[in-house]
Amino acid sequence: MDSPPTSTSRLPPRHPRPRRKSRYPNDAMPMLYLILLVLLTATPLRGQELPPVLTEEEFLARVANHHPLAVRADLQRDRARALLQEARGGFDPKLYGDLAQKYYRGTRYYSVAEGGLKVPTWFGVELNAAYERNEGYYLNPENTVPENGLFAAGLTLPLGQGLMFDQRRAELQRARIYQQATAAERLVQLNELLYEAGSRYWEWAGAQGAVEVYTEAVELARARYAAVVNSAALGDRPAIDTLEAQILVQNRLLGLESARLEAANAAAALNAFLWLDGVIPLELEADTRPLDPASVVVAPPEPLPPGTENPALLRTRLKVDELEVDERLQREQLKPRLDLKYNALLAGGVDRPLESFSTRDYKWGLTFSQSLLLRKERGKLALTRIKLSETQLELSDKAAQLSVKLAQADNEARVTVAQYELARRNASDYARLLDGERDLFRAGESSLFLVNSREVSFIDASLKQLELMVKHRKARLARRFAAGLTLPVVEGGTLPSE
């Protein structure tokens, strides 16, 4: 058996396949495509008229106008209009025609032709007009008409099932309710989107404020370290103080890096809500900042406008209305089917049709049907009533839950005002203590330990003030969300004042 060839085996020389000359020098075109893709998937907000200070109103207005969920919510209105147009089509007039002929061994047995128009009405009556012309050697006697054909005009009247309500009217009412429900669903989606986006905005604002607090603390620690080093060189302070001052700088740097990480994560979460026309994702520029925490309003919210209602309640209430339409239709199905048809007849080809018309020329008929046990109809009605009861209970539960959320958010928005004021005073008092301790330290009457202790308390108080500011603004957002008041930003471009 032959052994497999090894590296020393003689193999026929392999001729490299000649490379095809690229149409583009240095194969630059694929790289251009990659660069273009990167630019499209992460476009900074340059040229988008974004101010250097991004306010909550401007941010939410951009979200409401460009976010994919907001754009998709707008498509729901088009869907509702299309469904309403489809339902109205059930009342469109209809033309019809029918032609039947038979020929056998050169003989025309019959030729039966009929055409007409049917017009459904909202009241359940169907109007109709027809013309028929029939002839033939073996024509059925009942199809015999005058030589110039026969005109018929009349109506079909349901005397039982379908007189007060029918499937066509039910579909149209459902479509109208669906149009309102779709508008409410759009508002619900926008309300949830703006609440989530607003929450991310204030988390970003709080994280940026923390970065500024730690940045100032690092600068002060570095300045103190330089002063301690100079004092130690002159012999005014022991050399061990320089090590302690250096440790303080390092601790402040650790806090600053942690704050920068939180700010970067908050900005990344905020970027998820920034889009252009719902297609191109955008990113904040590095120099874009939120509102200055000192300029943020922290005050008790004003009373809600009268008649305020969350669109989620309206959506559920419209579900109840739709089920009531179904219940009415199911009740109608319990009635017997009894249709009366009447058509006045007039021969074609007459010179004076009104004078030729006679009430004795007509055709009519009755159609009757009725289920003996009505088990199917009664079962459908029972199921519809169960669904209606469930939806009514859901409406009551949802109203209670939204009322609780509104009360909780209102309480939190009011309580955090007092908490914020206390935190602001604490930060101001700690700042005064820190300034006094620094003066004592420079005079040689204090230690780095005491300065560090005062500084830690001041930093904690400043961060607590920022935390309560964010908590208050998110509580106001939750209050607007529970009441459905984040929605005017979509129409007017600004949030409602509180």
Side-chain angles (χ1 to χ4, degrees):
M1 180 179 296
D2 296 335
S3 60
T6 62
S7 60
T8 59
S9 301
R10 289 192 174 183
L11 297 177
R14 297 180 61 184
H15 299 284
R17 182 179 299 177
R19 293 185 59 186
R20 295 179 59 185
K21 187 176 182 180
S22 175
R23 296 175 57 188
Y24 308 102
N26 300 325
D27 292 335
M29 188 56 65
M31 182 61 66
L32 292 177
Y33 285 148
L34 180 59
I35 295 174
L36 180 61
L37 179 62
V38 171
L39 290 177
L40 288 178
T41 54
T43 305
L45 283 173
R46 295 185 178 91
Q48 303 298 327
E49 298 182 358
L50 189 68
V53 177
L54 182 62
T55 65
E56 181 193 27
E57 291 81 3
E58 293 167 338
F59 170 68
L60 293 183
R62 178 174 291 274
V63 172
N65 292 324
H66 296 280
H67 196 276
L69 293 181
V71 176
R72 189 182 70 174
D74 291 337
L75 295 178
Q76 300 300 320
R77 294 182 295 186
D78 299 333
R79 181 193 297 272
R81 284 193 292 265
L83 288 176
L84 182 60
Q85 183 179 12
E86 180 183 3
R88 286 174 175 170
F91 295 90
D92 289 346
K94 293 181 178 61
L95 288 172
Y96 70 94
D98 187 16
L99 174 64
Q101 295 180 340
K102 180 179 180 182
Y103 292 86
Y104 185 68
R105 293 183 179 180
T107 302
R108 183 170 65 176
Y109 275 53
Y110 61 81
S111 175
V112 179
E114 181 181 357
L117 175 68
K118 295 182 179 180
V119 182
T121 65
W122 176 257
F123 305 101
V125 178
E126 184 179 77
L127 306 178
N128 61 276
Y131 172 77
E132 58 178 322
R133 186 166 185 172
N134 310 321
E135 54 187 356
Y137 191 78
Y138 295 107
L139 184 67
N140 193 326
E142 70 172 280
N143 294 328
T144 301
V145 296
E147 182 179 356
N148 293 324
L150 185 67
F151 290 96
L155 53 85
T156 301
L157 175 64
L159 300 177
Q161 182 184 135
L163 177 62
M164 305 302 298
F165 205 57
D166 58 9
Q167 186 68 32
R168 279 195 296 255
R169 283 176 277 184
E171 289 294 337
L172 184 56
Q173 287 194 12
R174 287 196 198 101
R176 289 173 175 170
I177 293 174
Y178 181 79
Q179 188 176 36
Q180 301 177 33
T182 303
E185 178 65 26
R186 171 179 172 268
L187 296 181
V188 169
Q189 294 179 4
L190 290 176
N191 201 23
E192 293 175 351
L193 174 64
L194 295 177
Y195 170 68
E196 187 69 19
S199 299
R200 300 292 82 78
Y201 174 85
W202 288 113
E203 291 174 1
W204 174 57
Q208 289 290 341
V211 170
E212 295 176 1
V213 170
Y214 276 106
T215 299
E216 182 182 359
V218 168
E219 293 176 355
L220 294 176
R222 282 175 173 171
R224 188 183 313 115
Y225 172 72
V228 170
V229 169
N230 292 333
S231 298
L234 296 175
D236 295 336
R237 288 189 177 276
I240 193 65
D241 285 353
T242 60
L243 179 61
E244 186 175 357
Q246 183 179 359
I247 293 174
L248 293 179
V249 173
Q250 294 171 354
N251 287 334
R252 299 297 175 265
L253 287 173
L254 285 175
L256 177 59
E257 292 303 319
S258 298
R260 286 175 176 172
L261 176 61
E262 293 293 333
N265 291 336
L270 197 72
N271 286 334
F273 294 92
L274 292 174
W275 293 78
L276 180 61
D277 297 331
V279 178
I280 302 176
L282 304 176
E283 290 184 359
L284 291 171
E285 291 186 3
D287 56 348
T288 303
R289 291 291 180 267
L291 279 175
D292 184 4
S295 64
V296 175
V297 176
V298 179
E302 296 179 359
L304 296 174
T308 300
E309 183 183 45
N310 193 293
L313 290 179
L314 176 59
R315 179 183 58 182
T316 307
R317 189 174 293 111
L318 290 171
K319 288 182 181 179
V320 173
D321 296 341
E322 184 177 1
L323 288 172
E324 288 177 348
V325 172
D326 293 341
E327 182 190 19
R328 183 181 178 187
L329 181 61
Q330 296 301 331
R331 289 201 311 266
E332 193 73 15
Q333 300 296 327
L334 299 178
K335 299 178 182 179
R337 188 78 188 183
L338 181 62
D339 296 337
L340 170 65
K341 297 181 180 180
Y342 175 83
N343 285 276
L345 304 177
L346 179 65
V350 295
D351 297 333
R352 297 179 179 179
L354 294 180
E355 295 180 2
S356 303
F357 173 73
S358 174
T359 56
R360 293 177 298 177
D361 299 331
Y362 62 90
K363 62 179 180 180
W364 74 284
L366 281 174
T367 302
F368 174 80
S369 65
Q370 173 66 27
S371 175
L372 294 180
L373 300 179
L374 294 174
R375 288 184 291 188
K376 180 179 179 180
E377 291 76 7
R378 288 187 286 113
K380 285 185 177 180
L381 179 59
L383 288 175
T384 302
R385 286 176 173 172
I386 291 174
K387 292 180 181 178
L388 180 59
S389 299
E390 290 176 346
T391 309
Q392 289 173 340
L393 293 173
E394 178 186 352
L395 176 62
S396 301
D397 179 65
K398 187 169 294 184
Q401 290 182 3
L402 288 175
S403 178
V404 171
K405 289 181 179 179
L406 180 60
Q408 290 175 342
D410 188 74
N411 292 336
E412 187 171 1
R414 296 180 185 280
V415 170
T416 50
V417 174
Q419 292 178 333
Y420 178 82
E421 181 61 23
L422 288 175
R424 187 189 64 80
R425 292 179 182 177
N426 283 342
S428 177
D429 293 341
Y430 277 121
R432 293 171 61 188
L433 284 176
L434 179 59
D435 290 340
E437 200 67 41
R438 286 170 181 167
D439 293 338
L440 292 176
F441 178 76
R442 284 191 291 267
E445 299 179 4
S446 182
S447 63
L448 281 175
F449 175 80
L450 292 177
V451 173
N452 179 49
S453 177
R454 302 294 190 193
E455 196 170 69
V456 168
S457 298
F458 171 71
I459 293 174
D460 291 341
S462 299
L463 295 177
K464 185 63 176 180
Q465 182 181 354
L466 284 172
E467 178 187 347
L468 288 172
M469 183 271 292
V470 173
K471 188 175 182 180
H472 172 77
R473 297 304 304 188
K474 292 177 71 172
R476 291 171 74 103
L477 271 176
R479 184 174 180 265
R480 288 202 300 259
F481 169 74
L485 288 181
T486 54
L487 304 174
V489 69
V490 181
E491 306 297 338
T494 58
L495 284 171
S497 60
E498 289 188 344

